Amino acid sequence: MMALQLRLLHLAFLGLGTTGPLVQGRGFHLPTVAWPSFFDFTRRQEVQETIQIPKNGSAPLLMDVQVFVSNVFNVDILRYTVSSTLLLRLSWLDTRLAWNTSVRPQHAVTLPWDSLWTPGLTIQEALWVDWQDQSPRARVDSNGHVDLYLALTTETNCDFELLHFPRDQSDCNLSFYALSNTVLELEFRARVVNEIVSVKREYVVQALKTQVPPQQLVPCFQVTLRLQNTALKAIIALLVPGETLLLADLCGGLLPLRATERIAYKVTLLLGYLVFHSSLVQALPSSSSCNPLLIYHFTVLLLLLVVSTTETVLLAALLARGDLRAENSLSPAPRRERQDRGDPGPHPEEVPRVKGSRRSWAEAADRIFFLVYVVGVVCSQFFFVGFWMWATCKSHPAPGKAIPHGGQPRL
Ligand SMILES: *[C@@H]1O[C@H](CO)[C@@H](O)[C@H](O)[C@H]1NC(C)=O
Ligand SMILES: *[C@@H]1O[C@H](CO)[C@@H](O)[C@H](O)[C@H]1NC(C)=O
Ligand SMILES: *[C@@H]1O[C@H](CO)[C@@H](O)[C@H](O)[C@H]1NC(C)=O
């Protein structure tokens, strides 16, 4: 490709050279300044020959890449980004740089990177890349073997699979492209070395892989990081409070329906849960597909708490209304007496026989509801555990997936 470009440039200048005399033959004098620039170019071309990609006959130049992953820090699931520190070791053979050791008895030299050909690398997923050495030096030995080390820190985008958050595991890709070359000129052979020493992390790197994706127009290699969430924090901060509130709500069902504390107890639980729920929703990431199962779990929990509170309020209201009606139908004397004593509610021993039926009806309904509620809660928990074990989710394919990198833009 590069050779072709050079040839084209050359042809363009040849064209200039041939049209020049033709035009001259018609009595037109080409500006003399045009000739020195042409000679300048040929001289520059000679000088720049070593910064063109080395040729390997008809085969592409083979470049060995070793990727040392030294740190993966700051996995941000809310922003879907990973930050990592890598060291790349690029080695290739450039015979134009070789020398005869009996003439120059030096085993190896270091050269500034811009005095020889080096590949320009671009990371497809990167939000930013910080190449730590702005002018790295390449080591060249007498046979022409070139070694170039590049250290970089980068923040890359990664589509975490958070369905099983906080027990999630995701594969994050870093795709390195040499955009100024084609696959006919350059081929990567990549290897990855795990040099991470730090384990005090929320997310740890479980595995590292490299691959050279097939059918690309631009030389490319990919490093895949498998990240595993090992944090207990989410379990302690999210699951335990949620389950405790549910248990407390179940226990609230054991309080007698007549006790006024029961409504207060249930409403307090519901309020506490609402506060917890809103902070939880902010702490969990959300996406267009495969949202964490925990979001659904906590929403079901909220519905359960609302149902149980509503039941308590409704039955207590029914009961109170029944009491009131029964009291009204009684002789006014005991009522006034009771008011004198400053007693707001009827004592169980004073409850007359007439409202006994309504009362026992409400209490029986409450007991039945309690049983149904307990069964419902237990079932929902088992259902959730089962769903957690078996559920898998396949994210929608990315819209740009079908187009290979460097392909024709589609209109
Ligand atoms: C040239 O290509 C051949 C065949 O692919 C390969 O074995 C050899 O290592 C390559 N040489 C260089 C300098 O890349
Ligand atoms: C290196 O230089 C010596 C002395 O000039 C010469 O004899 C030898 O053939 C050269 N070797 C190569 C590989 O060019
Ligand atoms: C990473 O790259 C591999 C191979 O190209 C691909 O199958 C996989 O879907 C990629 N993963 C992500 C998260 O993009």
Side-chain angles (χ1 to χ4, degrees):
M1 184 65 196
M2 198 56 79
L4 185 70
Q5 277 174 4
L6 271 181
R7 176 97 47 84
L8 282 177
L9 269 175
H10 203 73
L11 278 177
F13 274 90
L14 275 179
L16 189 78
T18 50
T19 50
L22 268 178
V23 176
Q24 263 179 335
R26 286 181 195 157
F28 181 81
H29 285 274
L30 211 69
T32 44
V33 282
W35 293 104
S37 80
F38 172 67
F39 288 121
D40 257 5
F41 176 77
T42 46
R43 212 173 307 134
R44 223 181 317 135
Q45 195 181 344
E46 276 163 28
V47 173
Q48 286 184 341
E49 194 54 50
T50 57
I51 67 167
Q52 301 307 324
I53 182 165
K55 293 195 189 67
N56 181 20
S58 58
L61 175 75
L62 213 57
M63 178 169 292
D64 280 309
V65 184
Q66 256 177 303
V67 185
F68 301 92
V69 182
S70 53
N71 206 349
V72 174
F73 60 100
N74 197 20
V75 177
D76 191 339
I77 52 171
L78 290 181
R79 290 176 56 226
Y80 288 93
T81 57
V82 186
S83 306
S84 50
T85 305
L86 312 173
L87 178 69
L88 304 181
R89 180 191 179 202
L90 311 173
S91 2
W92 68 96
L93 184 68
D94 189 346
T95 46
R96 295 168 305 178
L97 301 173
W99 65 86
N100 190 338
T101 37
S102 51
V103 178
R104 226 168 86 194
Q106 245 171 330
H107 185 64
V109 292
T110 57
L111 297 174
W113 67 282
D114 51 358
S115 67
L116 71 161
W117 174 83
T118 53
L121 291 175
T122 307
I123 304 177
Q124 193 184 25
E125 292 87 359
L127 306 183
W128 51 261
V129 185
D130 182 13
W131 300 94
Q132 275 162 25
D133 194 351
Q134 289 303 317
S135 49
R137 297 179 71 85
R139 187 181 166 83
V140 184
D141 75 6
S142 57
N143 296 323
H145 285 289
V146 186
D147 267 331
L148 179 68
Y149 285 90
L150 299 170
L152 64 136
T153 302
T154 179
E155 186 176 30
T156 48
N157 181 252
C158 179
D159 291 340
F160 301 113
E161 285 300 349
L162 291 168
L163 187 71
H164 289 105
F165 178 85
R167 284 259 148 258
D168 52 309
Q169 176 177 301
S170 313
D171 284 345
C172 297
N173 285 343
L174 276 82
S175 313
F176 291 81
Y177 283 91
L179 289 174
S180 46
N181 298 106
T182 69
V183 281
L184 299 178
E185 292 168 343
L186 183 61
E187 185 184 328
F188 286 116
R189 204 164 48 185
R191 220 148 55 77
V192 67
V193 182
N194 187 346
E195 292 209 320
I196 302 168
V197 285
S198 146
V199 290
K200 299 276 182 198
R201 294 259 179 258
E202 201 175 344
Y203 279 84
V204 296
V205 175
Q206 283 272 307
L208 286 171
K209 244 183 0 186
T210 52
Q211 71 260 9
V212 175
Q215 288 171 356
Q216 298 281 328
L217 300 177
V218 171
C220 168
F221 65 94
Q222 263 182 337
V223 179
T224 306
L225 313 169
R226 172 156 296 175
L227 294 173
Q228 169 105 50
N229 191 349
T230 57
L232 264 181
K233 189 184 101 186
I235 296 175
I236 295 167
L238 303 178
L239 271 181
V240 173
E243 297 298 317
T244 314
L245 274 173
L246 193 60
L247 196 66
D249 185 62
L250 278 184
C251 295
L254 295 175
L255 287 174
L257 190 57
R258 304 197 69 84
T260 43
E261 298 83 33
R262 179 158 152 192
I263 294 185
Y265 180 82
K266 292 234 164 179
V267 169
T268 312
L269 275 186
L270 186 62
L271 277 180
Y273 185 76
L274 279 175
V275 172
F276 169 72
H277 192 82
S278 69
S279 72
L280 170 119
V281 166
Q282 275 166 26
L284 285 180
S286 67
S287 71
S288 55
S289 58
C290 298
N291 279 298
L293 283 177
L294 274 192
I295 289 183
Y296 304 110
H297 177 242
F298 284 117
T299 307
V300 168
L301 240 158
L302 178 64
L303 289 180
L304 283 174
L305 288 185
V306 166
V307 165
S308 116
T309 309
T310 313
E311 182 264 352
T312 299
V313 170
L314 283 183
L315 284 187
L318 262 181
L319 205 61
R321 195 161 291 193
D323 281 352
L324 211 66
R325 209 172 295 152
E327 247 176 75
N328 282 344
S329 66
L330 279 181
S331 63
R335 199 172 141 219
R336 205 172 303 129
E337 220 174 88
R338 205 184 296 132
Q339 277 170 348
D340 291 343
R341 274 187 273 140
D343 192 346
H347 285 292
E349 68 266 16
E350 284 178 84
V351 174
R353 197 144 295 273
V354 271
K355 59 182 181 175
S357 66
R358 182 185 282 271
R359 200 178 129 216
S360 61
W361 177 83
E363 273 168 1
D366 185 48
R367 217 163 301 134
I368 291 169
F369 174 83
F370 179 68
L371 290 179
V372 170
Y373 185 65
V374 169
V375 171
V377 165
V378 171
C379 283
S380 76
Q381 298 303 298
F382 273 114
F383 181 74
F384 176 70
V385 169
F387 202 61
W388 178 279
M389 307 262 252
W390 300 114
T392 54
C393 180
K394 200 95 193 83
S395 288
H396 308 311
K401 259 284 161 56
I403 308 166
H405 199 88
Q408 293 292 317
R410 287 190 188 169
L411 296 174

